[in-house]
């Protein structure tokens, strides 16, 4: 593990400028019901099943994995007590913590881990990426699991510790019941247990009194988790104005993902606290590369060439403090940041885009673009980009749907040509969903996949950076998805809600209500 910590420090060490809430009182308070207003209903409460942020924010309170990431993207043990790597770098052995119990009272054993990781490796994006190099996964005893690899894979701990579509552990019987579908019982080992889901009303979580917390200081998804509040209610509130008004009235203690143009007004209001999420995201338009017109890279290039990124970011995000233009796929401050390929970024050249369309043989077919107003910036960005693309000769069919529908439809290539989303900062370029051949969009470029494979094998930072520079140029030339710009989400909280940091994403343990 010591060798891995050196590698991880080189790969994922990152310093991010942040605005966070500073706790106003010395001692947290136990008790009360925390009321959180989210943008809508989650597409699922099965974290293996979806990359949707709303699912992660809710279920990270319920489920845990063998490892967890802190706010600096460093990996620490969670359900694992420790792990070791063999000298030939082909065998990872994880020893489990003793006495950890699921919400149904059953003690965690290796058979639960084996069943969960096998399923995660079959259906999740990261799992399929990892299991492509896994020779076997076994449980030599009730308190250990062993990965044997086909080849060295330096990023294995990061893969199973990453929080997006995370490798969380369910009871084996829950996995068996699910079969090839989604899990139907939401049972984990986390500080809160699932109590009820009343669709379009709320999801309720209650403190799990049998929770076995770690002793290390809590940081991000790692370390000690304390369920200070008795209950958490997650309310689907698609209208941002209603979320804002609800926090002001005291109906909710926290509201996520608010329009950035509300920032200055809300910051001046002494009755609420604005929160700028510290981890940057990037706004993106993802092409369907499995079916339809966007399988033609020249049409994808034309789409990108026509766009004015500054105008889109200004309209969709608003205050300059919340966004920036950057051609790098990795955020500034990350050791893998590079401006390679910058000449393809923010071209705002409709004439050149029109020429590319002619070369591609585009005949004016409508571009079916899935977007949503549940994330306000997504609806605005697509609306602003539409006339830019039309000036270049595209025919744009904007299709506004709720977020759950968008997530569902983007998995069906016959239904769309482009969808909009936001990508969070990842600990390594090899984790980028836009480069995945198995995630919606389905990027199957052979040269890109070869470079990513080399990056997963190498631990030398210079070698990895040289490969990534070439890969980023290929990204901009082949255009699997448009990067528009970086941005930070805006949240809102009541004055009595304390402890929230948003590092690296929304978590609600280790937070409390002062009254």
């Amino acid at each position: 593990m010591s060798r891995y910590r050196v590698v991880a420090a080189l790969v994922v060490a990152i310093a991010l400028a942040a605005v966070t809430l500073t706790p106003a009182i010395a001692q947290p308070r136990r008790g009360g019901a925390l009321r959180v207003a989210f943008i809508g209903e989650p597409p699922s409460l099965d974290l293996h099943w979806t990359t949707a942020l709303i699912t992660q924010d809710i279920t990270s309170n319920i489920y845990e994995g063998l490892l967890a990431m802190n706010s600096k993207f460093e990996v620490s043990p969670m359900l694992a007590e420790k792990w070791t790597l063999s000298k030939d770098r082909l065998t990872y052995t994880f020893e489990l913590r003793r006495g950890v119990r699921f919400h149904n009272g059953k003690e965690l054993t290796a058979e639960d881990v084996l069943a969960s990781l096998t399923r995660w490796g079959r259906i999740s994006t990261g799992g399929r990426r990892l299991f492509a190099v896994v020779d076997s996964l076994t449980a030599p005893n009730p308190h250990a699991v062993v990965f044997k690899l086909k080849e060295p894979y330096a990023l294995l701990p990061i893969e199973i510790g990453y929080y997006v579509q995370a490798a969380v552990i369910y009871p084996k019987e829950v996995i068996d019941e699910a079969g090839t579908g989604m899990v139907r019982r939401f049972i984990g080992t986390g500080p809160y247990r699932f109590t009820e889901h009343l669709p379009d009303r709320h999801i309720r979580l209650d403190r799990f009194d049998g929770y076995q917390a770690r002793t290390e200081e809590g940081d991000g998804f790692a370390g000690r988790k304390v369920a200070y509040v008795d209950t958490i209610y997650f309310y689907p509130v698609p209208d941002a104005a209603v979320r804002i008004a609800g926090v002001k009235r005291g109906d909710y203690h926290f509201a996520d993902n608010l329009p950035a143009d509300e920032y200055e007004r809300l910051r001046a209001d002494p009755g609420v606290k604005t929160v700028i999420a510290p981890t940057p995201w990037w706004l993106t338009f993802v092409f369907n590369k499995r079916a339809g017109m966007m399988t033609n890279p020249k049409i994808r290039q034309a789409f990108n060439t026509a766009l004015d990124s500054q105008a889109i970011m200004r309209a969709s995000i608003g205050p300059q403090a919340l966004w920036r233009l950057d051609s790098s796929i990795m955020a500034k401050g990350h050791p893998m940041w590079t401006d390679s390929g910058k000449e393809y970024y923010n071209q705002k050249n409709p004439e050149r885009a029109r020429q590319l369309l002619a070369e591609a043989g585009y005949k004016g077919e409508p571009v079916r673009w899935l977007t949503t107003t549940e994330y306000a910036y997504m609806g605005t960005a697509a609306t602003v980009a539409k006339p830019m693309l039309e000036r270049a000769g595209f025919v744009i069919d904007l299709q506004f749907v709720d977020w759950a529908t968008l997530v569902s439809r983007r998995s069906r290539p016959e239904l769309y040509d482009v969808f909009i989303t936001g990508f969070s900062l990842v600990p390594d370029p090899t984790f980028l969903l836009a480069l995945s051949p198995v995630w919606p969009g389905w990027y199957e470029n052979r040269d890109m996949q070869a470079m990513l494979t080399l990056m997963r094998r190498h631990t030398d930072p210079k070698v990895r950076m040289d490969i990534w520079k070439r890969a980023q140029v290929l990204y901009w030339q082949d255009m699997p998805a448009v990067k528009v710009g970086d941005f930070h989400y805006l949240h809102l909280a009541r004055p009595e809600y304390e402890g929230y940091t948003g590092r690296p994403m929304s978590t609600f343990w280790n937070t409390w209500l002062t009254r």
Side-chain angles (χ1 to χ4, degrees):
M1 186 163 63
S2 60
R3 178 187 299 174
Y4 174 73
R5 287 188 182 280
V6 173
V7 174
L10 293 170
V11 174
V12 304
I14 184 168
L16 296 171
V19 178
T20 61
L21 295 178
T22 301
I25 62 175
Q27 295 297 324
R29 172 183 176 273
R30 292 179 69 91
L34 175 64
R35 300 184 297 276
V36 178
F38 272 177
I39 58 101
E41 285 280 339
S44 169
L45 292 178
D46 182 354
L47 194 51
H48 288 176
W49 198 265
T50 178
T51 60
L53 175 62
I54 190 171
T55 297
Q56 174 196 287
D57 286 346
I58 295 171
T59 63
S60 62
N61 300 279
I62 304 171
Y63 311 129
E64 296 175 316
L66 292 181
L67 308 178
M69 278 189 172
N70 65 17
S71 61
K72 297 178 181 178
F73 289 84
E74 298 164 338
V75 179
S76 301
M78 180 52 68
L79 295 179
E81 185 63 41
K82 63 180 181 178
W83 78 91
T84 57
L85 175 61
S86 63
K87 289 183 179 181
D88 63 3
R89 299 192 297 142
L90 293 176
T91 304
Y92 283 86
T93 301
F94 293 86
E95 296 184 22
L96 306 183
R97 292 166 58 198
R98 308 291 180 97
V100 174
R101 295 195 176 274
F102 288 104
H103 301 150
N104 61 2
K106 172 189 170 183
E107 185 172 355
L108 170 75
T109 68
E111 70 172 4
D112 305 302
V113 177
L114 196 63
S116 296
L117 292 182
T118 299
R119 176 181 189 258
W120 173 78
R122 186 179 69 251
I123 68 175
S124 75
T125 301
R128 282 178 283 187
R129 181 172 56 220
L130 171 59
F131 273 71
V133 297
V134 172
D135 185 53
S136 66
L137 175 61
T138 59
N141 64 64
H143 304 291
V145 292
V146 177
F147 282 92
K148 288 190 179 295
L149 306 181
K150 301 172 185 176
E151 60 189 44
Y153 190 72
L155 302 180
L156 183 146
I158 298 177
E159 291 278 17
I160 64 173
Y162 188 38
Y163 48 81
V164 174
Q165 205 171 13
V168 295
I169 308 304
Y170 297 97
K172 181 179 183 298
E173 58 270 26
V174 170
I175 299 294
D176 293 342
E177 289 172 3
T180 59
M182 289 186 281
V183 299
R184 298 188 291 272
R185 290 193 291 157
F186 312 118
I187 299 173
T189 60
Y192 288 93
R193 59 181 177 85
F194 173 83
T195 302
E196 67 178 358
H197 181 191
L198 302 179
D200 299 320
R201 291 180 59 185
H202 68 248
I203 293 170
R204 174 176 172 170
L205 309 183
D206 289 317
R207 180 192 296 117
F208 175 41
D209 292 329
Y211 180 64
Q212 300 293 315
R214 296 197 64 92
T215 57
E216 302 92 341
E217 181 179 357
D219 179 15
F221 292 88
R224 186 168 181 256
K225 302 174 184 176
V226 180
Y228 287 113
V229 299
D230 300 326
T231 300
I232 307 176
Y233 288 98
F234 296 98
Y235 298 95
V237 187
D239 191 321
V242 176
R243 295 200 296 278
I244 293 171
V247 173
K248 288 187 172 185
R249 287 194 306 266
D251 297 339
Y252 315 120
H253 297 103
F254 183 87
D256 78 333
N257 298 332
L258 302 176
D261 57 10
E262 295 280 0
Y263 172 63
E264 296 295 343
R265 180 176 70 86
L266 293 173
R267 188 175 65 161
D269 188 335
V272 294
K273 299 188 292 189
T274 54
V275 185
I276 298 176
T279 304
W281 288 64
W282 46 286
L283 173 61
T284 181
F285 309 149
V286 181
F287 299 112
N288 174 6
K289 297 167 289 296
R290 179 167 289 178
M293 71 181 78
M294 293 302 174
T295 58
N296 187 327
K298 281 198 173 180
I299 296 181
R300 303 197 299 264
Q301 292 165 10
F303 196 106
N304 175 64
T305 301
L307 298 175
D308 181 341
S309 295
Q310 183 171 0
I312 296 170
M313 295 300 290
R314 184 187 298 117
S316 59
I317 306 300
Q320 182 67 61
L322 300 180
W323 62 271
R324 62 172 173 258
L325 297 183
D326 188 5
S327 62
S328 176
I329 306 304
M330 303 302 290
K332 286 185 176 178
H334 194 286
M336 300 297 281
W337 183 94
T338 175
D339 62 1
S340 297
K342 64 181 180 180
E343 62 272 21
Y344 298 100
Y345 177 67
N346 192 31
Q347 297 178 63
K348 48 190 173 185
N349 188 339
E351 292 78 15
R352 173 58 180 158
R354 188 177 292 274
Q355 179 183 346
L356 287 167
L357 284 181
E359 293 173 3
Y362 176 71
K363 303 298 184 184
E365 303 93 329
V367 177
R368 299 164 298 169
W369 189 351
L370 296 176
T371 188
T372 184
T373 57
E374 288 189 353
Y375 291 100
Y377 74 92
M378 293 187 187
T380 302
T383 300
V384 172
K386 182 176 184 286
M388 298 176 185
L389 295 163
E390 290 172 337
R391 283 194 291 274
F394 281 99
V395 176
I396 302 296
D397 174 19
L398 285 185
Q399 299 180 7
F400 289 89
V401 296
D402 60 81
W403 181 245
T405 299
L406 188 152
V407 170
S408 174
R409 289 187 185 178
R410 72 186 185 188
S411 296
R412 300 177 60 186
E414 73 276 11
L415 295 181
Y416 72 97
D417 300 298
V418 187
F419 71 86
I420 194 169
T421 192
F423 286 140
S424 64
L425 178 66
V426 293
D428 190 76
T430 60
F431 281 54
L432 289 163
L433 290 174
L435 304 182
S436 172
V438 297
W439 190 74
W442 305 287
Y443 189 47
E444 298 179 342
N445 182 288
R446 183 177 301 176
D447 292 337
M448 179 65 76
Q449 297 309 316
M451 285 189 279
L452 295 179
T453 297
L454 287 174
M455 290 182 67
R456 294 182 187 110
R457 292 173 179 169
H458 282 285
T459 58
D460 185 309
K462 184 179 184 306
V463 172
R464 300 183 88 253
M465 188 62 178
D466 288 344
I467 298 170
W468 175 238
K469 285 180 178 179
R470 297 197 303 272
Q472 185 166 290
V473 171
L474 176 59
Y475 176 97
W476 282 109
Q477 292 173 338
D478 203 35
M479 194 46 51
V482 175
K483 178 185 177 180
V484 185
D486 293 336
F487 70 95
H488 295 263
Y489 277 117
L490 175 65
H491 307 314
L492 193 66
R494 295 282 304 169
E496 64 268 24
Y497 181 47
E498 297 284 357
Y500 180 85
T501 66
R503 289 181 175 272
M505 295 290 177
S506 292
T507 57
F508 298 99
W509 59 82
N510 296 347
T511 70
W512 62 93
L513 299 170
T514 60
R515 61 179 186 274

